[in-house]
Amino acid sequence: MTETLWPAPVATTAVDATVTIPGSKSVTNRALLLAALAGEPGWVRRPLRSRDSQLMADGLRALGVGIEETVNNATGGSGGGEAWRVIPAPVLRGPARVDVGNAGTVMRFLPPLAVLADGPVHFDGDPRSYERPQHGVINALRALGARIDDGGRGSFPLTVHGSGALDGGPVELDASSSSQFVSALLLSGARYNQGVEVRHVGGPVPSLPHIRMTVEMLRLAGVQVDAPEDGGEKDIWRVTPGALLGRDLVVEPDLSNAAPFFAAALVTAGRVTVRDWPAHTTQPGDQLREIYTQMGGSYRFTDEGLEFTGTGRIRGIEADLHDVGELTPVIAAVAALADSESHLYGIAHLRLHETDRLAALAKELNDLGGDVTETEDGLRIRPRPLHSGVFHTYEDHRLATAAAVVGLAVEGVEVENIATTAKTLPDFPQMWSDLLAGAAARA
């Protein structure tokens, strides 16, 4: 099969642009599921329209949830005026078939909902979904009384035999490979007869900000949640059973997807503003402000959003990215262009994401002349002059955007399957071209 290669544009001058980032995948998919569980219809406004969010919407539709998509151009703002009206099903439907693709939120969040269906729900997905950890959700649901057929694999494909209800109650699980195991149970837990008490047993939970996002969104939907960060017991989350409110929710921009655009400011000594950056957020991507400042840039809030400026110097960084692992690929790309060594750590769990991100980053950067070594839980990056070549993406959207960042400073970088960015950033190639075209026009 012939590779489809995208020539990464080289920056010939400093970028100076204002960018509208589509809505957050993490918020969109949580909002859709919570709206599906509510007692009355709700709205999800400015949602992310991408493969992952479409898989979530289609999965909910397969279970009988109504999702009506509308566009009101008068509303303006980031993500345009699109809105999805979610109409909960009186009874979730089974039998049903759900395609999870390679979307972590779909493969983890929908099985705990499917136990409430009135029949079997069969889940399948991309080949990579068979390799990604699902045991935490499967074992926890079984411990709570659910019947699941997975052939003993602890992964997809699998069938959840919904019985219309689940007793719920206390359960232990090891979420050291994915915080989504905890979020998955919390999101549907209020509809279990006894609610749910999730006790994590194991190593540190990665991406804790995503669990805090789940907790905050549950509370906004009227659910009572006890969480460790509020003075509760360490590694224990409790959801009280009860009804969920239908809400009118506006989805924030996906701050993690700002990573390559702010990186362009760093790499080209330019300036990029991301519109509608929230003053308060649970999104891990908000940490970009501090991380990129340590790498040599600066930021300020303006009337339009968050403005980030590069100085022309990129510093290496020593950073624990355990809570913000999804930012690692682009940060690694920037680090490969820095003036000193970087050590990124706390991210062993990235070996279990869309691909083994640590191995992939090391191989692809090294194939371009870099000096990257894997550590037990991260990467050590020693900047070297890079050269042209093909950057393989392993069907991983974050690898593709990392490659685009490298291409800003290195001529002849060709990116395999740039279309994989559609997972969370559907218009990325055009947005990237526009970013650089605007800079070139002003030069």
Side-chain angles (χ1 to χ4, degrees), residues 328-352:
T328 300
V330 172
I331 292 171
V334 175
L337 303 172
D339 61 9
S340 57
E341 182 175 325
S342 292
H343 180 206
L344 312 179
Y345 59 93
I347 43 177
H349 59 284
L350 295 191
R351 294 190 171 95
L352 302 171

Side-chain angles (χ1 to χ4, degrees), residues 94 114 128-129 167 174 199 202 209 222 256 307 316 337 347 359 371:
R128 175 63 178 171
S129 73
D167 280 344
D174 181 354
R199 181 186 297 267
S256 294
E307 177 188 279
L337 303 172
I347 43 177
D371 182 1

Side-chain angles (χ1 to χ4, degrees), residues 69 132 169 192 199-200 218 248 276 305 307 367-368 378 417:
E69 302 179 20
R132 298 185 67 182
Y192 300 163
R199 181 186 297 267
H200 164 65
L218 279 164
D248 192 325
D276 301 324
E307 177 188 279
D367 283 353
L368 298 181
N417 190 17

Side-chain angles (χ1 to χ4, degrees), residues 14-78:
V15 300
D16 187 356
T18 299
V19 179
T20 297
I21 301 290
S24 163
K25 174 198 71 174
S26 299
V27 174
T28 297
N29 280 1
R30 284 166 172 79
L32 285 171
L33 191 144
L34 291 173
L37 287 169
E40 62 275 333
W43 289 90
V44 179
R45 301 187 188 276
R46 303 181 190 169
L48 172 68
R49 180 183 285 280
S50 70
R51 187 185 184 215
D52 278 21
S53 59
Q54 202 63 55
L55 287 166
M56 177 63 83
D58 289 345
L60 292 170
R61 287 183 177 118
L63 294 170
V65 177
I67 301 178
E68 301 172 352
E69 302 179 20
T70 64
V71 177
N72 179 359
N73 292 327
T75 60
S78 65

